[in-house]
Amino acid sequence: RKEVEQDPGPFNVPEGATVAFNCTYSNSASQSFFWYRQDCRKEPKLLMSVYSSGNEDGRFTAQLNRASQYISLLIRDSKLSDSATYLCVVNWGFVDSGAGSYQLTFGKGTKLSVIP
Amino acid sequence: EPEVTQTPSHQVTQMGQEVILRCVPISNHLYFYWYRQILGQKVEFLVSFYNNEISEKSEIFDDQFSVERPDGSNFTLKIRSTKLEDSAMYFCASSRRRDFTAHEQYFGPGTRLTVT
């Protein structure tokens, strides 16, 4: 069974804090990894793809550890506008039969509230 | 910035009725998807579509569901005979290509389907 597990949250942090989200996935053959954010009753919005070498975009840093099947997202200097649910998302890539699979599998998300 | 659009934003229907949810993917994207999110639960994959045919579908996507690209811009999801448990937010998504180095899917704002 292909699962994506995240910290249940919620995280309540003051403005300016650094916050880390963790995620584990069950299938070592997974190909692509993403962080999305979702505001209440809105669509998931792509925050960043996660590459094997790790990547950074401004205040956001994503890391991937394939050996541990672990993904992380770090937000530095958090802003009020960062308040949202953060979704860890995995694409499993090729299934055992060799057919390509492009569906995304979502974690349940971790809710972040940044407090003034 | 190009966006995926969806109509209607909210659809209320009676059990047993047919509904059609409409999506306009990003114009240079070739791969299209439907996902759903039941209130309080995770986003779930329904179906992917490429080159005018279904490329993958989940267990949720049973015979009551169908997808179509009736013209060069629209992508539709039809539910033939709605059930109470079909009440959810339905998201359309699109991606430009499917290779695993850049399989990024962009989501529309969703259609909230309420079955009474």
Side-chain angles (χ1 to χ4, degrees):
Chain A
R1 188 172 173 85
K2 298 181 173 108
E3 296 285 349
V4 177
E5 301 290 339
Q6 294 186 245
D7 288 343
F11 292 175
N12 299 311
V13 302
E15 265 185 295
T18 295
V19 59
F21 301 97
N22 303 312
C23 171
T24 57
Y25 58 95
S26 61
N27 189 324
S28 61
S30 306
Q31 295 284 348
S32 306
F33 309 90
F34 309 91
W35 285 100
Y36 281 74
R37 67 170 278 167
Q38 186 175 32
D39 293 287
C40 189
R41 295 185 174 242
K42 300 286 188 181
E43 75 273 26
K45 285 189 191 294
L46 179 64
L47 188 60
M48 55 200 306
S49 302
V50 187
Y51 303 119
S52 295
S53 55
N55 46 303
E56 187 173 309
D57 183 5
R59 298 182 293 110
F60 299 83
T61 300
Q63 297 279 349
L64 168 64
N65 184 324
R66 284 189 183 271
S68 303
Q69 296 175 207
Y70 172 88
I71 309 159
S72 66
L73 174 70
L74 190 76
I75 304 177
R76 290 180 298 280
D77 188 24
S78 51
K79 313 287 185 197
L80 296 176
S81 57
D82 293 333
S83 297
T85 296
Y86 288 82
L87 307 174
C88 178
V89 182
V90 175
N91 168 246
W92 304 105
F94 289 103
V95 298
D96 292 342
S97 65
S101 172
Y102 301 96
Q103 64 177 276
L104 299 180
T105 298
F106 285 75
K108 288 184 179 176
T110 304
K111 186 174 179 181
L112 171 68
S113 293
V114 181
I115 304 160
Chain B
E1 185 176 308
E3 293 179 332
V4 177
T5 60
Q6 289 186 244
T7 54
S9 57
H10 191 190
Q11 174 89 50
V12 181
T13 190
Q14 288 189 326
M15 201 166 51
Q17 295 297 304
E18 176 183 285
V19 293
I20 298 176
L21 310 183
R22 292 183 167 78
C23 168
V24 178
I26 294 172
S27 62
N28 65 345
H29 285 190
L30 301 176
Y31 306 93
F32 315 120
Y33 314 85
W34 285 101
Y35 292 80
R36 80 170 186 192
Q37 187 175 30
I38 295 169
L39 189 63
Q41 298 188 23
K42 64 173 87 171
V43 177
E44 301 173 289
F45 170 80
L46 293 178
V47 65
S48 61
F49 191 86
Y50 168 68
N51 200 26
N52 280 320
E53 61 182 29
I54 290 173
S55 45
E56 193 176 11
K57 59 184 180 180
S58 71
E59 293 171 354
I60 303 168
F61 194 89
D62 62 22
D63 292 344
Q64 293 300 312
F65 291 87
S66 62
V67 288
E68 193 178 31
R69 186 151 164 85
D71 54 42
S73 59
N74 289 285
F75 178 52
T76 62
L77 174 70
K78 182 194 289 186
I79 310 174
R80 286 190 186 81
S81 177
T82 50
K83 307 184 190 68
L84 294 175
E85 54 265 37
D86 293 328
S87 294
M89 183 74 102
Y90 287 81
F91 294 111
C92 174
S94 68
S95 64
R96 187 161 178 270
R97 61 182 197 258
R98 308 196 290 187
D99 65 77
F100 296 113
T101 57
H103 177 55
E104 296 173 344
Q105 296 181 24
Y106 296 90
F107 284 72
T111 293
R112 180 165 299 283
L113 177 65
T114 303
V115 182
T116 61

